[in-house]
Amino acid sequence: MARRTTRPASPSLPADSPCPCGLAASYGACCGRFHSGQDTAPTAELLMRSRYSAFVVRDQAYLLRTWHPTTRPASVDFDPAMRWSGLEILETADGSLFHATGTVTFVARYTHGGTPGALRERSRFARSDGAWVYVDGAFGDSEDTDA
């Protein structure tokens, strides 16, 4: 049986690097602690930020672990030509310590094969066994954002 080696086994970002999610903390003190399993995201927004960072570092295990069981794919395919370059949270609704569901609307900027772009999504989150998980998202037009 051939072994697949196209995905790194774990994140490759040093703990003292700036966190890709855009918050002021280092990766290790911010999203890295969620990726490692040291902590779980206490809000839907922090889960969204940590999932964005997981796409940046290509952490398939974390993405799958934080995906709702009813919508979770079998695997995550990372496009080698895709480079995520920034995250902007546009709106949050619910998703706090006191809620069972929440939504986060965001714009994620990227370059694909050297061409810049932006993805706008309104993501739905829910608690599953006490932890926030990503349920699904609706993609929107991001032409109204500053690229």
Side-chain angles (χ1 to χ4, degrees):
M1 174 192 277
R3 183 174 170 201
R4 294 178 69 173
T5 59
T6 58
R7 295 182 186 110
S10 62
S12 59
L13 193 63
D16 60 350
S17 296
C19 194
C21 82
L23 294 178
S26 68
Y27 171 69
C30 194
C31 294
R33 66 192 169 111
F34 303 137
H35 295 173
S36 71
Q38 175 185 350
D39 286 317
T40 58
T43 66
E45 180 182 338
L46 286 175
L47 180 65
M48 204 301 18
R49 288 179 177 280
S50 69
R51 286 178 55 83
Y52 168 82
S53 292
F55 275 102
V56 171
V57 300
R58 299 180 182 199
D59 187 346
Q60 175 179 231
Y62 182 76
L63 290 167
L64 294 174
R65 186 169 71 242
T66 58
W67 214 307
H68 195 279
T70 62
T71 58
R72 181 186 306 132
S75 65
V76 178
D77 292 322
F78 298 107
D79 184 338
M82 180 73 79
R83 297 289 178 258
W84 296 101
S85 57
L87 175 67
E88 178 183 359
I89 302 296
L90 302 176
E91 180 181 24
T92 62
D94 298 333
S96 77
L97 297 170
F98 306 105
H99 297 106
T101 62
T103 61
V104 179
T105 303
F106 66 92
V107 174
R109 301 200 192 297
Y110 63 86
T111 57
H112 185 263
T115 303
L119 172 124
R120 181 182 176 126
E121 181 178 323
R122 182 176 181 266
S123 296
R124 292 187 320 135
F125 298 88
R127 288 192 185 265
S128 178
D129 295 327
W132 284 106
V133 292
Y134 170 78
V135 177
D136 59 19
F139 296 101
D141 185 1
S142 61
E143 291 179 15
D144 60 346
T145 62
D146 297 327

